[in-house]
Amino acid sequence: MTGQIRTRSGPAQHGTAPAEAAEDRGAAVRLTGLRKRYGQLAAVDGVELTIAPGEVVALLGPNGAGKSTTVDMLLGLTTPDAGRIRIFGQTPSAAVGSGTVGAMLQNGALLADVTVGEIVGLVAALHRTPLPVAEALRRAGIADLAGRRCGTLSGGQQQRVRFAVALVCDPDLLVLDEPTVAMDVTSRRQFWQAMRAYTDTGRTVLFATHYLEEAEEYADRVVLMRAGRVVADGSVAQVRAAVAGRTLRAVLPGGARPDRLLALPGVNRVDVRAETATLACTDSDAALRALLAAFPLAHDIEITAVGLEDAFHALTGRPDQTDQAGPTDQTGEDQPR
Amino acid sequence: MNTRYLVLELRRLLRSSRFLIFTLAMPAVLLLVFTGLYGGAGATFPNGIPVSTGLMINMATYAAMTAPLFTGTRVATERGTGWQRQLRLTPLSSTAYLLTKGLTALLIAVPGLVLVGAIGALVEGVRLSAGQWLGVLGGVWLAAIPVAMLGLAIGLLANQDTVQPVGSGLMMLFGLLGGVWVPAEAAPDWMLGIMRVMPTYWMNQVAKAPLLADAALGRAVLVLAGWTVLLGLVGAWRFRTATAR
């Protein structure tokens, strides 16, 4: 229901030492020891996360990783069992009340029977220091839709209305939960253009997504979650490096026995299909030298760096499940309420 | 409370054709039909109220009941679609949300009441003093407060799927057994006993009070206040359990 949980401090009352308060103010988001259980399931199991002002952070993870629960707690929609949340030094409800945080929810429905201008206007009227409605519509790229009823819009258009609703309070932190779900390629590109324009003004953004390429392209920093915990956190390059190594692929005429390939230096995983061998290497240079010595006829040699997607699969460790975590499948993270 | 939100809520209701049919058209059409059937010239109920006036008061009760009930039930829909989650990301408090819904429910009953009154005066020849008009229509409007609370309580208790049948079921129950569609004056004694439990029966009594010398206004107000307190408690309990998570 609509209750704003107006706790003055976090549910687990950490003593706010002066140093901690100063750290709180210096950070856009500070999550400490955040936990939430639903029955037997530890949806969020000790998340620690600090986001600096101006950062654009992607929150990645398979379904059920705890992304949406984390986002809900950050926004004060769900009460954590334990832990502390600060947004620019404020509690979630204070941050919502002061318009410091704006959010685009995954299932934040619009009212079908009101126009785009009315709904954005209403949210603006509820906030104390909003942007002019026309400005919010322009920034979301929907100035031409102001007179349309929300119920008549396409999925992509509705997402951009939600974006306008999220930014009309002129927030310092913008939180987006799966913002481009239900968008086609063109709307997705338009959406991220609008986002770019926004982040260029130095605002902080946290977005949860299934799309690795979006994280790779738009985020300064990637936070990977699995089973309620942060399993990797860093720049796209750092996260890639966390699963250090490269992939060596070569055609070996006549084929080769996998155990022979695995015995090569710097190789830790082998996959042979017909004459093509794919070697996951910790040291691709050493592996290549040894490979050429052992298989002089090897040809069509390719060495590639690990992509974010491989890093994601390696770090979240459940490739079979992450494969299902397609953009259309969102049920896994909807917690009982 | 935010006036802009209140105005938008009123506008949304006025855009809904289903709402207009059930709260504006139905009471007006039923008034014309019933008066045509039973309101023969000069006929009066045993209590001395002319049949046409009595029927108009019943349809005013119907109008005053149906709009608030309908409005409150929309709360369940807004919870189901996630609009409430969106509102929780604004400074609007949950109390202000419910207050806005309740006030909307009462205000939106006014057009239906005015229409029924206008048909009564202009088509059916109902003659009342200015004070009586105010007492009848204003009284039944204020007496609709518990029904608005009931609508909100249903909105909080039911979900998107159940709210429709529950709302319509109550509407039927109140209409048939609450002395709205079947005048209490024409009901057998056993039925009168059931009617006296319904808030609509007492809304109807409040509306008739300005025309009767021996009106049980005090008792009606007491029963309606009881309903209001009871429903308020149910709503508050439900509201607290729904928000605690």
Side-chain angles (χ1 to χ4, degrees):
Chain A
M1 258 298 313
T2 60
Q4 303 229 347
I5 303 132
R6 297 213 180 268
T7 40
R8 280 286 154 256
S9 54
Q13 297 240 346
H14 293 240
T16 311
E20 195 172 29
E23 264 186 78
D24 283 347
R25 274 194 299 277
V29 173
R30 201 152 172 255
L31 307 179
T32 331
L34 202 58
R35 283 172 205 282
K36 180 73 185 180
R37 297 191 72 86
Y38 290 104
Q40 288 300 301
L41 174 78
V44 172
D45 195 12
V47 163
E48 309 276 333
L49 180 64
T50 303
I51 298 175
E55 272 190 311
V56 178
V57 178
L59 191 59
L60 278 171
N63 279 334
K67 303 189 299 288
S68 285
T69 308
T70 303
V71 165
D72 277 4
M73 288 193 284
L74 175 64
L75 297 171
L77 294 171
T78 300
T79 316
D81 295 336
R84 194 163 174 282
I85 304 168
R86 288 296 179 274
I87 299 170
F88 289 100
Q90 296 173 292
T91 61
S93 59
V96 164
S98 62
T100 306
V101 58
M104 194 170 149
L105 299 170
Q106 203 180 104
N107 48 3
L110 304 169
L111 298 169
D113 54 0
V114 306
T115 67
V116 171
E118 282 173 335
I119 200 163
V120 178
L122 169 65
V123 175
L126 292 174
H127 280 282
R128 288 182 195 104
T129 50
L131 289 176
V133 173
E135 173 67 12
L137 295 181
R138 195 189 56 73
R139 285 197 197 174
I142 47 169
D144 52 327
L145 300 180
R148 290 268 300 276
R149 295 221 179 146
C150 296
T152 67
L153 302 176
S154 73
Q157 288 170 326
Q158 291 194 1
Q159 283 296 87
R160 277 186 283 155
V161 175
R162 286 191 191 103
F163 183 50
V165 164
L167 64 77
V168 75
C169 66
D170 199 15
D172 297 314
L173 168 69
L174 196 58
V175 179
L176 314 162
D177 196 1
E178 309 274 352
T180 55
V181 154
M183 285 191 190
D184 58 30
V185 180
T186 318
S187 348
R188 203 173 291 169
R189 194 169 303 135
Q190 284 170 347
F191 174 81
W192 283 109
Q193 262 167 20
M195 271 295 302
R196 263 267 160 79
Y198 182 79
T199 53
D200 284 348
T201 61
R203 309 303 168 90
T204 314
V205 176
L206 173 67
F207 68 97
T209 184
H210 278 310
Y211 299 112
L212 295 152
E213 61 273 29
E214 289 187 344
E216 204 153 12
E217 193 163 348
Y218 300 103
D220 305 327
R221 181 176 157 199
V222 178
V223 174
L224 244 78
M225 282 188 76
R226 184 187 66 187
R229 293 164 179 276
V230 172
V231 290
D233 179 353
S235 66
V236 171
Q238 282 171 332
V239 169
R240 270 198 206 126
V243 281
R246 288 161 201 257
T247 304
L248 195 166
R249 190 172 289 118
V251 176
L252 308 175
R257 291 211 337 262
D259 56 334
R260 243 191 104 193
L261 293 170
L262 201 56
L264 297 175
V267 174
N268 63 359
R269 212 169 60 241
V270 171
D271 182 35
V272 181
R273 296 219 175 128
E275 295 193 330
T276 305
T278 307
L279 314 177
C281 306
T282 48
D283 183 347
S284 56
D285 296 339
L288 179 61
R289 284 191 194 98
L291 180 79
L292 287 173
F295 302 91
L297 295 176
H299 59 92
D300 286 316
I301 298 167
E302 278 174 26
I303 296 181
T304 48
V306 171
L308 188 57
E309 182 149 8
D310 300 311
F312 178 78
H313 286 178
L315 288 165
T316 57
R318 298 185 300 183
D320 50 324
Q321 296 211 8
T322 50
D323 282 344
Q324 295 164 9
T328 50
D329 176 12
Q330 309 173 34
T331 52
E333 256 186 314
D334 283 345
Q335 305 297 352
R337 338 191 164 270
Chain B
M1 277 293 299
N2 183 295
T3 358
R4 177 118 179 213
Y5 183 36
L6 183 66
V7 170
L8 185 64
E9 284 295 300
L10 292 170
R11 288 227 303 258
R12 285 180 62 205
L13 281 168
L14 293 174
R15 275 176 200 167
S16 155
S17 50
R18 231 178 71 218
F19 175 80
L20 293 177
I21 288 168
F22 281 103
T23 67
L24 270 181
M26 280 279 274
V29 169
L30 283 179
L31 175 58
L32 290 169
V33 171
F34 283 163
T35 320
L37 287 175
Y38 309 111
T44 60
F45 284 116
N47 57 14
I49 297 179
V51 169
S52 56
T53 309
L55 288 173
M56 183 200 76
I57 289 176
N58 275 15
M59 287 311 115
T61 310
Y62 177 42
M65 156 192 100
T66 182
L69 203 58
F70 184 90
T71 311
T73 54
R74 287 164 64 110
V75 170
T77 316
E78 292 188 356
R79 190 174 62 242
T81 59
W83 171 239
Q84 286 184 354
R85 271 164 66 83
Q86 193 67 58
L87 277 182
R88 285 178 65 187
L89 298 177
T90 72
L92 184 79
S93 74
S94 29
T95 321
Y97 171 79
L98 285 182
L99 261 175
T100 308
K101 287 284 170 194
L103 207 55
T104 307
L106 285 177
L107 289 175
I108 209 68
V110 171
L113 277 173
V114 170
L115 185 63
V116 165
I119 291 175
L122 304 173
V123 182
E124 311 297 355
V126 174
R127 293 285 166 265
L128 299 174
S129 71
Q132 282 174 325
W133 275 117
L134 195 69
V136 168
L137 296 180
V140 80
W141 183 63
L142 286 177
I145 290 173
V147 180
M149 302 277 283
L150 178 65
L152 284 179
I154 298 170
L156 290 168
L157 283 162
N159 62 36
Q160 230 174 328
D161 298 324
T162 55
V163 74
Q164 203 56 45
V166 169
S168 330
L170 276 173
M171 204 102 79
M172 291 293 283
L173 189 73
F174 287 168
L176 286 172
L177 295 179
V180 177
W181 294 334
V182 181
E185 291 82 352
D189 279 349
W190 64 268
M191 202 169 160
L192 204 59
I194 301 172
M195 284 182 172
R196 288 201 170 120
V197 183
M198 307 283 160
T200 37
Y201 172 85
W202 297 101
M203 283 173 71
N204 200 241
Q205 295 305 302
V206 170
K208 281 176 189 154
L211 310 182
L212 296 172
D214 58 343
L217 190 58
R219 197 164 154 214
V221 170
L222 216 64
V223 174
L224 291 170
W227 271 99
T228 307
V229 170
L230 181 73
L231 291 165
L233 288 175
V234 171
W237 161 76
R238 176 60 192 165
F239 187 60
R240 264 215 296 279
T241 52
T243 46
R245 27 185 218 131

